[in-house]
Amino acid sequence: MCSTKTIFTRFYWLATFVLFGLAIATVCTYTPTEATMGPIQKIFYLHLPVAISTFLACLVCFIGSVGYAMKHDARWDRLAASAARVAVILCSVVLLTGMIWGRSAWGQWWTWSPRLTFSLVLWLLYVVYLMVRMSIESPQRRAVISAVYGIIAFLDVPLVYLSVRMLPDIHPGSVSLAPEMRLTLAAWFVPVLMLTAGLIATRYAIETQTDAQTPVDEAAAAAPGRFTWVGEVM
Amino acid sequence: MSSNGFVILAYALGLGLLWGYAVMLFFAGRSIGRREQCDGGKS
């Protein structure tokens, strides 16, 4: 017998999957090819929603970090950690799709323009966040250090967003779209945001289950200075 | 590689990473759930 929560979860993931299918169909059949860049512009419909989702995941991590700093409740720490893991995956997709677009549009895989550089820094910041978490054995110490780091790491998000407006950059700052293109973009925003929320929620549930199953190591809790590198980061 | 090839590569990589991670989480959650059942909620 399935609980209401299980039925909702299944329906949510099925709806996300179907909406992704519709979004792909929209790109393939409905949206017109852009006149200047040609077919390569179609990467934009995945690239932009995933970039915005990256910012939102970083914001959730920031909120979780601030929440833990204020309340010292492990739930906030779990939320921040879950969002950081998802932010790394999303940011990887942004960098990869951006590089492929750049190779075709600018003739090079990578250029050290302000937005690209700040985006790479953002990815590195959250990878380091996960490595720092894995390296600290004491749960309390890990949560405190992660909260401070999560608050500081978020400062790069406004830099990524504003860099293209405040500094000379090869990356386009704003684009004008035909109505069909706007509709396609909206069709991509919905499933990408749903997937982001679903991934954070699932990761949070796993963190909660793992914490419940892990016996409290009194020695580790009492020795907050002990650091151990663990292979598993994601 | 043609422009269409780059577009297909970008979507395959992007969606592959996102959904690959989702599938990984699904199996991780299921294995933790099974462990919980085997322990009978003792831990």
Side-chain angles (χ1 to χ4, degrees):
Chain A
M1 191 76 179
C2 290
S3 67
T4 314
K5 191 183 168 189
T6 311
I7 291 168
F8 173 77
T9 307
R10 283 180 186 172
F11 176 76
Y12 184 87
W13 282 109
L14 183 68
T16 308
F17 193 77
V18 169
L19 286 171
F20 259 107
L22 287 173
I24 292 168
T26 312
V27 168
C28 294
T29 59
Y30 173 71
T31 192
T33 304
E34 209 258 344
T36 317
M37 279 190 277
I40 199 70
Q41 185 268 344
K42 290 189 175 184
I43 293 178
F44 171 76
Y45 303 114
L46 175 64
H47 183 74
L48 182 67
V50 176
I52 300 294
S53 297
T54 307
F55 294 161
L56 291 175
C58 294
L59 179 66
V60 173
C61 179
F62 174 75
I63 291 168
S65 301
V66 171
Y68 185 82
M70 291 173 74
K71 305 271 184 190
H72 290 280
D73 187 333
R75 282 177 295 186
W76 288 110
D77 180 52
R78 284 200 287 268
L79 178 68
S82 310
R85 285 165 201 271
V86 175
V88 169
I89 298 290
L90 291 167
C91 198
S92 305
V93 173
V94 174
L95 290 173
L96 282 171
T97 53
M99 282 168 71
I100 294 167
W101 191 351
R103 174 67 185 80
S104 187
W106 309 327
Q108 50 192 348
W109 292 102
W110 185 264
T111 177
W112 293 101
S113 81
R115 174 161 277 188
L116 272 66
T117 307
F118 282 127
S119 300
L120 182 64
V121 169
L122 186 73
W123 183 80
L124 286 170
L125 279 169
Y126 283 90
V127 167
V128 171
Y129 174 93
L130 298 180
M131 292 172 78
V132 166
R133 286 190 69 86
M134 286 295 160
S135 69
I136 304 171
E137 212 171 324
S138 161
Q140 288 82 10
R141 188 177 167 84
R142 179 174 61 217
V144 170
I145 291 175
S146 301
V148 174
Y149 189 99
I151 292 166
I152 295 168
F154 183 73
L155 295 176
D156 190 47
V157 171
L159 289 177
V160 177
Y161 183 74
L162 294 171
S163 59
V164 81
R165 287 168 175 75
M166 299 177 78
L167 296 164
D169 202 319
I170 192 170
H171 192 286
S174 60
V175 283
S176 55
L177 296 171
E180 295 93 344
M181 291 176 171
R182 269 187 229 155
L183 194 66
T184 307
L185 189 60
W188 271 94
F189 259 107
V190 175
V192 170
L193 290 174
M194 283 176 74
L195 183 67
T196 304
L199 288 177
I200 294 174
T202 309
R203 187 67 230 184
Y204 179 83
I206 290 173
E207 296 263 345
T208 307
Q209 285 175 320
T210 310
D211 283 0
Q213 286 181 3
T214 308
V216 178
D217 185 353
E218 298 295 339
R226 280 171 60 196
F227 283 74
T228 310
W229 285 101
V230 181
E232 192 230 344
V233 173
M234 301 307 294
Chain B
M1 194 186 276
S2 68
S3 291
N4 280 323
F6 278 119
V7 174
I8 292 166
L9 177 69
Y11 275 90
L13 272 175
L15 294 178
L17 253 175
L18 291 174
W19 281 100
Y21 187 61
V23 169
M24 196 192 87
L25 287 186
F26 170 76
F27 284 110
R30 207 168 67 159
S31 90
I32 290 170
R34 275 185 185 164
R35 205 187 310 161
E36 242 174 19
Q37 280 181 342
C38 290
D39 292 348
K42 283 176 194 167
S43 58

